[in-house]
Amino acid sequence: SDSLTVAELAKKLHREPSEIIKKLFMLGVMATINQVLDKDAIELIAGDYGVEVEEEIQIDVTDLEVYFTDDEAAELDERPAVVTIMGHVDHGKTTTLDSIRNTKVTAGEAGGITQHIGAYQVEENGKKITFLDTPGHAAFTTMRARGAKITDITILVVAADDGVMPQTIEAINHAKAAEVPIIVAVNKMDKESANPDRVMQELTEYGLIPEAWGGDTIFVPISAIKGEGIDNLLEMILLVSEVEEYKANPNRNAVGTVIEAQLDKGRGSVATLLVQNGTLKVGDPIVVGNTFGRVRAMVNDLGRRVKHAEPSTPVEITGLNDVPQAGDRFVVLSDEKSARQIGESRAQQALQAQRSEKTKISLDNLFEHM
Ligand code: GTP
Ligand code: MG
Protein backbone atom coordinates (compact mmCIF):
# COMPACT_ATOMS: atom_id res chain seq x y z
CA SER A 1 0.00 0.00 0.00
CA ASP A 2 1.02 3.61 -0.49
CA SER A 3 0.49 4.85 3.04
CA LEU A 4 0.79 3.58 6.60
CA THR A 5 0.13 5.03 10.01
CA VAL A 6 3.04 5.56 12.38
CA ALA A 7 1.81 2.54 14.38
CA GLU A 8 1.64 0.30 11.30
CA LEU A 9 5.09 1.34 10.16
CA ALA A 10 6.53 0.74 13.64
CA LYS A 11 5.08 -2.74 13.62
CA LYS A 12 6.55 -3.53 10.21
CA LEU A 13 9.97 -2.27 11.34
CA HIS A 14 9.71 -4.13 14.67
CA ARG A 15 10.20 -0.90 16.59
CA GLU A 16 8.21 0.95 19.17
CA PRO A 17 5.90 3.64 17.78
CA SER A 18 7.48 6.08 20.21
CA GLU A 19 10.82 5.56 18.46
CA ILE A 20 9.30 6.43 15.09
CA ILE A 21 7.62 9.46 16.62
CA LYS A 22 10.98 10.52 18.02
CA LYS A 23 12.62 10.12 14.63
CA LEU A 24 9.93 12.22 13.04
CA PHE A 25 10.42 14.77 15.79
CA MET A 26 14.14 14.93 14.94
CA LEU A 27 13.11 15.67 11.39
CA GLY A 28 11.01 18.50 12.72
CA VAL A 29 7.63 16.85 12.47
CA MET A 30 5.26 16.45 15.38
CA ALA A 31 3.44 13.21 14.76
CA THR A 32 0.92 11.12 16.61
CA ILE A 33 0.68 7.35 16.58
CA ASN A 34 -2.23 7.42 14.12
CA GLN A 35 -0.61 9.88 11.75
CA VAL A 36 -0.70 8.72 8.12
CA LEU A 37 2.67 8.65 6.35
CA ASP A 38 2.92 8.61 2.58
CA LYS A 39 5.11 6.32 0.49
CA ASP A 40 8.10 8.66 0.35
CA ALA A 41 8.02 9.38 4.06
CA ILE A 42 7.83 5.64 4.77
CA GLU A 43 10.83 4.99 2.52
CA LEU A 44 12.82 7.72 4.23
CA ILE A 45 12.21 6.38 7.75
CA ALA A 46 12.61 2.73 6.73
CA GLY A 47 15.81 3.62 4.91
CA ASP A 48 17.12 5.07 8.13
CA TYR A 49 16.80 1.61 9.66
CA GLY A 50 18.50 0.05 6.64
CA VAL A 51 15.22 -1.44 5.48
CA GLU A 52 14.33 -1.25 1.85
CA VAL A 53 10.68 -0.84 1.08
CA GLU A 54 9.57 -3.51 -1.34
CA GLU A 55 7.03 -2.54 -3.93
CA GLU A 56 4.01 -4.68 -3.35
CA ILE A 57 2.83 -6.05 -6.65
CA GLN A 58 -0.83 -6.34 -6.03
CA ILE A 59 -3.79 -5.59 -8.20
CA ASP A 60 -6.00 -3.00 -6.60
CA VAL A 61 -9.45 -3.79 -8.02
CA THR A 62 -10.76 -0.40 -7.00
CA ASP A 63 -8.24 1.32 -9.28
CA LEU A 64 -10.18 1.61 -12.54
CA GLU A 65 -6.98 2.02 -14.56
CA VAL A 66 -6.21 -1.67 -14.04
CA TYR A 67 -9.15 -2.53 -16.30
CA PHE A 68 -7.61 -0.59 -19.19
CA THR A 69 -5.51 -3.55 -20.22
CA ASP A 70 -3.92 -4.09 -23.62
CA ASP A 71 -5.38 -6.69 -25.94
CA GLU A 72 -3.70 -9.26 -28.14
CA ALA A 73 -3.10 -7.92 -31.64
CA ALA A 74 -5.30 -10.66 -33.09
CA GLU A 75 -8.29 -9.38 -31.11
CA LEU A 76 -8.00 -5.83 -32.39
CA ASP A 77 -10.27 -4.21 -34.93
CA GLU A 78 -10.15 -0.81 -36.54
CA ARG A 79 -12.00 1.90 -34.62
CA PRO A 80 -13.00 5.44 -35.58
CA ALA A 81 -10.67 8.33 -34.71
CA VAL A 82 -11.78 10.54 -31.83
CA VAL A 83 -11.34 14.20 -32.75
CA THR A 84 -11.54 17.43 -30.73
CA ILE A 85 -11.52 20.97 -32.04
CA MET A 86 -9.45 23.71 -30.47
CA GLY A 87 -8.50 27.25 -31.29
CA HIS A 88 -8.71 30.90 -30.31
CA VAL A 89 -11.97 32.59 -29.31
CA ASP A 90 -14.21 33.39 -32.29
CA HIS A 91 -11.99 31.61 -34.79
CA GLY A 92 -14.90 29.32 -35.68
CA LYS A 93 -14.69 26.11 -33.57
CA THR A 94 -18.45 25.86 -33.02
CA THR A 95 -19.24 26.80 -36.63
CA THR A 96 -16.80 24.14 -37.85
CA LEU A 97 -18.38 21.46 -35.62
CA ASP A 98 -21.86 22.53 -36.79
CA SER A 99 -20.80 22.56 -40.40
CA ILE A 100 -19.35 19.05 -40.20
CA ARG A 101 -22.51 17.78 -38.58
CA ASN A 102 -24.87 19.58 -40.93
CA THR A 103 -23.14 18.41 -44.08
CA LYS A 104 -22.92 14.84 -42.85
CA VAL A 105 -26.07 14.12 -40.88
CA THR A 106 -28.99 13.91 -43.29
CA ALA A 107 -31.97 15.99 -42.24
CA GLY A 108 -34.27 12.98 -42.54
CA GLU A 109 -32.60 11.19 -39.69
CA ALA A 110 -34.26 11.14 -36.33
CA GLY A 111 -33.15 14.16 -34.41
CA GLY A 112 -31.90 15.76 -37.63
CA ILE A 113 -29.43 18.47 -36.86
CA THR A 114 -30.39 18.72 -33.22
CA GLN A 115 -27.51 17.48 -31.20
CA HIS A 116 -28.45 15.34 -28.26
CA ILE A 117 -25.16 14.73 -26.54
CA GLY A 118 -21.81 16.45 -26.36
CA ALA A 119 -20.33 14.32 -29.09
CA TYR A 120 -21.30 12.96 -32.48
CA GLN A 121 -20.21 10.65 -35.26
CA VAL A 122 -20.15 11.26 -39.00
CA GLU A 123 -19.34 9.04 -41.92
CA GLU A 124 -16.91 9.87 -44.70
CA ASN A 125 -16.13 7.38 -47.46
CA GLY A 126 -17.81 4.66 -45.44
CA LYS A 127 -15.66 5.32 -42.37
CA LYS A 128 -16.81 6.82 -39.12
CA ILE A 129 -15.20 9.71 -37.28
CA THR A 130 -16.12 10.72 -33.71
CA PHE A 131 -16.17 14.40 -32.76
CA LEU A 132 -16.18 15.57 -29.17
CA ASP A 133 -18.00 18.82 -28.68
CA THR A 134 -16.12 19.75 -25.54
CA PRO A 135 -15.30 23.36 -24.88
CA GLY A 136 -11.73 22.63 -25.97
CA HIS A 137 -9.30 23.88 -23.40
CA ALA A 138 -11.23 23.33 -20.20
CA ALA A 139 -12.13 19.76 -20.99
CA PHE A 140 -8.69 18.99 -22.32
CA THR A 141 -7.05 20.31 -19.17
CA THR A 142 -9.37 18.49 -16.75
CA MET A 143 -9.10 15.24 -18.61
CA ARG A 144 -5.37 15.47 -18.90
CA ALA A 145 -5.07 16.28 -15.21
CA ARG A 146 -6.95 13.06 -14.58
CA GLY A 147 -4.66 11.20 -16.94
CA ALA A 148 -7.48 10.29 -19.26
CA LYS A 149 -6.35 10.42 -22.84
CA ILE A 150 -9.35 10.43 -25.08
CA THR A 151 -8.46 12.39 -28.18
CA ASP A 152 -6.66 10.90 -31.15
CA ILE A 153 -6.50 14.03 -33.30
CA THR A 154 -6.89 17.76 -32.64
CA ILE A 155 -8.22 20.12 -35.27
CA LEU A 156 -6.63 23.50 -34.68
CA VAL A 157 -8.96 26.15 -36.08
CA VAL A 158 -7.17 29.38 -37.00
CA ALA A 159 -9.06 32.29 -38.58
CA ALA A 160 -7.30 33.33 -41.76
CA ASP A 161 -8.17 36.99 -41.13
CA ASP A 162 -6.78 36.99 -37.60
CA GLY A 163 -3.83 34.59 -37.49
CA VAL A 164 -2.13 32.98 -34.52
CA MET A 165 -3.48 34.27 -31.21
CA PRO A 166 -2.79 33.42 -27.52
CA GLN A 167 -5.27 30.56 -27.32
CA THR A 168 -3.98 29.16 -30.59
CA ILE A 169 -0.61 28.77 -28.93
CA GLU A 170 -2.19 27.36 -25.78
CA ALA A 171 -4.01 24.76 -27.88
CA ILE A 172 -0.76 23.76 -29.60
CA ASN A 173 0.92 23.31 -26.22
CA HIS A 174 -1.92 21.15 -24.93
CA ALA A 175 -1.90 18.94 -28.00
CA LYS A 176 1.88 18.59 -27.91
CA ALA A 177 1.91 17.71 -24.22
CA ALA A 178 -0.70 15.03 -24.86
CA GLU A 179 1.17 13.87 -27.98
CA VAL A 180 -1.93 14.31 -30.11
CA PRO A 181 -1.40 15.01 -33.82
CA ILE A 182 -2.64 18.40 -35.05
CA ILE A 183 -4.44 19.15 -38.30
CA VAL A 184 -4.69 22.89 -38.98
CA ALA A 185 -8.00 24.15 -40.37
CA VAL A 186 -7.42 27.62 -41.77
CA ASN A 187 -10.91 29.04 -41.40
CA LYS A 188 -12.84 32.04 -42.74
CA MET A 189 -11.30 31.66 -46.19
CA ASP A 190 -14.41 33.38 -47.62
CA LYS A 191 -13.33 36.66 -46.06
CA GLU A 192 -11.81 39.43 -48.13
CA SER A 193 -9.05 39.86 -45.58
CA ALA A 194 -8.17 36.15 -45.38
CA ASN A 195 -4.42 35.61 -45.43
CA PRO A 196 -3.64 31.86 -45.17
CA ASP A 197 0.06 32.38 -45.95
CA ARG A 198 0.41 34.48 -42.85
CA VAL A 199 -1.21 31.75 -40.74
CA MET A 200 1.22 29.16 -42.14
CA GLN A 201 4.14 31.51 -41.64
CA GLU A 202 3.21 32.23 -38.03
CA LEU A 203 2.66 28.58 -37.19
CA THR A 204 6.11 27.55 -38.38
CA GLU A 205 7.38 29.25 -35.22
CA TYR A 206 5.56 26.58 -33.24
CA GLY A 207 6.87 23.67 -35.24
CA LEU A 208 3.78 23.31 -37.43
CA ILE A 209 5.28 23.36 -40.90
CA PRO A 210 3.15 22.63 -43.97
CA GLU A 211 4.07 19.76 -46.25
CA ALA A 212 4.60 22.19 -49.11
CA TRP A 213 7.38 23.79 -47.07
CA GLY A 214 9.04 20.52 -46.17
CA GLY A 215 7.19 19.87 -42.91
CA ASP A 216 4.61 17.26 -42.04
CA THR A 217 1.65 19.29 -40.79
CA ILE A 218 -1.57 19.09 -42.75
CA PHE A 219 -3.22 22.46 -43.45
CA VAL A 220 -6.77 22.54 -44.81
CA PRO A 221 -8.32 25.82 -45.95
CA ILE A 222 -12.01 25.95 -45.01
CA SER A 223 -14.96 28.25 -44.76
CA ALA A 224 -16.97 26.78 -41.93
CA ILE A 225 -19.83 29.16 -42.53
CA LYS A 226 -20.16 28.14 -46.19
CA GLY A 227 -19.33 24.51 -45.60
CA GLU A 228 -16.38 24.74 -47.98
CA GLY A 229 -13.35 22.50 -47.46
CA ILE A 230 -15.17 20.38 -44.89
CA ASP A 231 -15.01 17.21 -46.99
CA ASN A 232 -11.33 17.77 -47.50
CA LEU A 233 -10.87 18.21 -43.75
CA LEU A 234 -12.66 14.92 -43.09
CA GLU A 235 -10.54 13.16 -45.70
CA MET A 236 -7.39 14.42 -44.01
CA ILE A 237 -8.67 13.04 -40.69
CA LEU A 238 -9.12 9.66 -42.38
CA LEU A 239 -5.63 9.94 -43.82
CA VAL A 240 -4.12 10.48 -40.37
CA SER A 241 -6.31 7.64 -39.02
CA GLU A 242 -4.92 5.28 -41.63
CA VAL A 243 -1.37 6.14 -40.70
CA GLU A 244 -1.96 5.91 -36.96
CA GLU A 245 -4.14 2.77 -37.19
CA TYR A 246 -6.50 3.31 -34.25
CA LYS A 247 -7.58 -0.05 -32.92
CA ALA A 248 -9.65 -1.60 -30.16
CA ASN A 249 -11.12 -4.94 -29.14
CA PRO A 250 -14.92 -4.92 -29.51
CA ASN A 251 -15.24 -8.33 -27.81
CA ARG A 252 -14.56 -7.45 -24.21
CA ASN A 253 -16.11 -5.55 -21.33
CA ALA A 254 -16.26 -1.87 -22.15
CA VAL A 255 -13.94 0.74 -20.62
CA GLY A 256 -13.81 4.46 -21.35
CA THR A 257 -14.20 8.00 -20.09
CA VAL A 258 -16.98 10.35 -19.00
CA ILE A 259 -17.44 13.27 -21.39
CA GLU A 260 -20.08 15.03 -19.30
CA ALA A 261 -22.66 14.18 -16.68
CA GLN A 262 -25.54 15.82 -14.91
CA LEU A 263 -28.61 15.23 -12.83
CA ASP A 264 -31.82 15.14 -14.85
CA LYS A 265 -35.10 15.79 -13.06
CA GLY A 266 -36.88 12.91 -14.69
CA ARG A 267 -34.12 10.43 -15.51
CA GLY A 268 -31.78 10.86 -12.59
CA SER A 269 -28.04 10.68 -13.22
CA VAL A 270 -27.30 11.04 -16.93
CA ALA A 271 -23.74 10.52 -18.21
CA THR A 272 -22.26 10.84 -21.68
CA LEU A 273 -19.57 8.21 -22.06
CA LEU A 274 -16.98 7.63 -24.71
CA VAL A 275 -16.42 3.91 -25.15
CA GLN A 276 -12.68 3.51 -25.71
CA ASN A 277 -12.38 -0.25 -25.73
CA GLY A 278 -14.85 -3.13 -25.69
CA THR A 279 -18.58 -2.89 -26.36
CA LEU A 280 -20.98 -1.30 -23.89
CA LYS A 281 -24.38 -2.96 -23.63
CA VAL A 282 -27.70 -2.20 -22.00
CA GLY A 283 -27.83 -4.11 -18.72
CA ASP A 284 -24.07 -4.04 -18.14
CA PRO A 285 -22.98 -3.68 -14.49
CA ILE A 286 -20.77 -0.61 -14.46
CA VAL A 287 -18.52 1.52 -12.25
CA VAL A 288 -18.22 5.15 -13.36
CA GLY A 289 -15.76 7.20 -11.33
CA ASN A 290 -17.07 6.90 -7.79
CA THR A 291 -20.55 5.85 -8.89
CA PHE A 292 -22.00 2.52 -9.98
CA GLY A 293 -25.09 0.89 -11.39
CA ARG A 294 -26.43 -1.00 -14.35
CA VAL A 295 -26.78 0.56 -17.80
CA ARG A 296 -30.54 1.11 -17.86
CA ALA A 297 -30.92 2.90 -21.20
CA MET A 298 -28.50 4.06 -23.87
CA VAL A 299 -29.08 6.88 -26.35
CA ASN A 300 -26.77 7.68 -29.26
CA ASP A 301 -25.79 11.05 -30.73
CA LEU A 302 -28.96 11.14 -32.84
CA GLY A 303 -31.17 10.69 -29.82
CA ARG A 304 -31.96 7.09 -30.75
CA ARG A 305 -32.13 4.29 -28.26
CA VAL A 306 -29.37 1.76 -28.84
CA LYS A 307 -28.58 -1.59 -27.22
CA HIS A 308 -24.82 -1.55 -27.65
CA ALA A 309 -21.99 0.90 -28.30
CA GLU A 310 -18.74 -0.14 -29.99
CA PRO A 311 -15.26 1.43 -29.48
CA SER A 312 -15.03 5.21 -30.15
CA THR A 313 -18.80 5.58 -29.83
CA PRO A 314 -20.26 8.30 -27.60
CA VAL A 315 -23.47 7.37 -25.78
CA GLU A 316 -25.61 8.78 -23.05
CA ILE A 317 -26.52 6.35 -20.28
CA THR A 318 -28.83 6.27 -17.30
CA GLY A 319 -28.87 3.89 -14.35
CA LEU A 320 -26.10 5.24 -12.09
CA ASN A 321 -26.57 5.77 -8.37
CA ASP A 322 -24.93 9.20 -8.47
CA VAL A 323 -23.49 11.79 -10.86
CA PRO A 324 -19.88 11.15 -11.97
CA GLN A 325 -17.50 13.86 -13.20
CA ALA A 326 -16.16 14.68 -16.66
CA GLY A 327 -12.86 12.88 -17.12
CA ASP A 328 -13.80 10.01 -14.78
CA ARG A 329 -13.05 6.52 -16.07
CA PHE A 330 -15.72 3.87 -16.42
CA VAL A 331 -15.39 0.09 -16.49
CA VAL A 332 -17.90 -2.70 -17.04
CA LEU A 333 -17.72 -5.63 -14.63
CA SER A 334 -19.05 -9.12 -15.04
CA ASP A 335 -21.52 -8.91 -12.14
CA GLU A 336 -23.53 -6.28 -10.36
CA LYS A 337 -22.26 -7.20 -6.91
CA SER A 338 -18.64 -6.38 -7.82
CA ALA A 339 -19.75 -3.14 -9.44
CA ARG A 340 -21.53 -2.13 -6.26
CA GLN A 341 -18.61 -3.13 -4.04
CA ILE A 342 -16.02 -1.31 -6.12
CA GLY A 343 -18.24 1.73 -6.61
CA GLU A 344 -18.98 1.97 -2.92
CA SER A 345 -15.39 1.55 -1.82
CA ARG A 346 -14.28 4.15 -4.37
CA ALA A 347 -16.81 6.62 -2.99
CA GLN A 348 -15.56 5.78 0.51
CA GLN A 349 -11.93 6.20 -0.49
CA ALA A 350 -12.68 9.57 -2.08
CA LEU A 351 -14.25 10.74 1.16
CA GLN A 352 -11.34 9.47 3.24
CA ALA A 353 -8.80 11.02 0.90
CA GLN A 354 -10.52 14.37 1.36
CA ARG A 355 -10.29 14.00 5.12
CA SER A 356 -6.74 12.72 5.43
CA GLU A 357 -5.42 15.31 2.97
CA LYS A 358 -5.25 17.70 5.89
CA THR A 359 -3.33 15.45 8.29
CA LYS A 360 -1.04 13.61 5.89
CA ILE A 361 2.69 14.03 6.33
CA SER A 362 4.47 13.99 3.02
CA LEU A 363 8.11 14.09 2.12
CA ASP A 364 7.67 17.75 1.29
CA ASN A 365 6.57 18.45 4.87
CA LEU A 366 9.57 16.56 6.19
CA PHE A 367 12.03 18.55 4.14
CA GLU A 368 10.25 21.76 4.93
CA HIS A 369 11.14 21.21 8.57
CA MET A 370 14.72 20.09 8.04
P1 GTP B 1 -15.89 30.66 -29.04
O1 GTP B 1 -16.69 29.43 -28.73
O2 GTP B 1 -16.51 31.91 -28.48
O3 GTP B 1 -14.45 30.56 -28.66
O4 GTP B 1 -15.91 30.89 -30.63
P2 GTP B 1 -15.78 29.81 -31.75
O5 GTP B 1 -14.36 29.53 -32.04
O6 GTP B 1 -16.67 28.66 -31.47
O7 GTP B 1 -16.31 30.61 -33.00
P3 GTP B 1 -17.75 30.56 -33.65
O8 GTP B 1 -17.93 29.33 -34.42
O9 GTP B 1 -18.76 30.92 -32.63
O10 GTP B 1 -17.59 31.73 -34.72
C1 GTP B 1 -17.29 33.06 -34.32
C2 GTP B 1 -17.81 34.02 -35.36
O11 GTP B 1 -17.14 33.81 -36.58
C3 GTP B 1 -19.29 33.85 -35.66
O12 GTP B 1 -19.87 35.09 -35.86
C4 GTP B 1 -19.29 33.02 -36.93
O13 GTP B 1 -20.42 33.25 -37.70
C5 GTP B 1 -18.03 33.54 -37.62
N1 GTP B 1 -17.47 32.54 -38.51
C6 GTP B 1 -17.16 31.25 -38.23
N2 GTP B 1 -16.68 30.62 -39.30
C7 GTP B 1 -16.68 31.52 -40.30
C8 GTP B 1 -16.31 31.47 -41.68
O14 GTP B 1 -15.89 30.45 -42.23
N3 GTP B 1 -16.43 32.62 -42.39
C9 GTP B 1 -16.90 33.76 -41.85
N4 GTP B 1 -16.97 34.82 -42.62
N5 GTP B 1 -17.27 33.84 -40.56
C10 GTP B 1 -17.17 32.76 -39.81
MG1 MG C 1 -17.75 28.09 -29.71
Side-chain angles (χ1 to χ4, degrees), residues 135-256:
H137 308 266
F140 222 87
T141 317
T142 337
M143 298 210 185
R144 208 151 56 78
R146 288 157 178 269
K149 190 184 168 185
I150 57 166
T151 318
D152 297 311
I153 299 171
T154 285
I155 305 294
L156 180 66
V157 175
V158 188
D161 62 337
D162 204 23
V164 171
M165 297 303 268
Q167 280 173 49
T168 313
I169 298 161
E170 216 177 278
I172 295 168
N173 291 336
H174 278 308
K176 279 189 178 166
E179 294 177 8
V180 174
I182 296 171
I183 294 177
V184 181
V186 184
N187 190 31
K188 308 199 184 184
M189 288 297 289
D190 58 285
K191 282 202 161 182
E192 200 77 51
S193 50
N195 187 349
D197 277 346
R198 190 183 116 206
V199 173
M200 291 196 273
Q201 189 63 56
E202 288 172 347
L203 282 176
T204 58
E205 271 183 55
Y206 301 93
L208 300 178
I209 301 156
E211 286 169 321
W213 298 355
D216 59 3
T217 302
I218 299 171
F219 283 71
V220 185
I222 65 167
S223 165
I225 218 154
K226 297 195 161 180
E228 285 165 12
I230 297 296
D231 270 310
N232 196 9
L233 180 61
L234 296 178
E235 271 165 35
M236 290 306 133
I237 292 169
L238 290 183
L239 195 77
V240 173
S241 308
E242 258 169 51
V243 174
E244 305 276 335
E245 296 191 307
Y246 304 118
K247 289 190 167 164
N249 174 9
N251 301 309
R252 56 168 278 171
N253 281 346
V255 296

Side-chain angles (χ1 to χ4, degrees), residues 5 37 48 149 170 232 254 261 274 276 357:
T5 61
L37 304 169
D48 229 31
K149 190 184 168 185
E170 216 177 278
N232 196 9
L274 175 71
Q276 294 179 274
E357 201 54 43

Side-chain angles (χ1 to χ4, degrees), residues 137 329 358:
H137 308 266
R329 298 294 216 173
K358 295 183 189 98

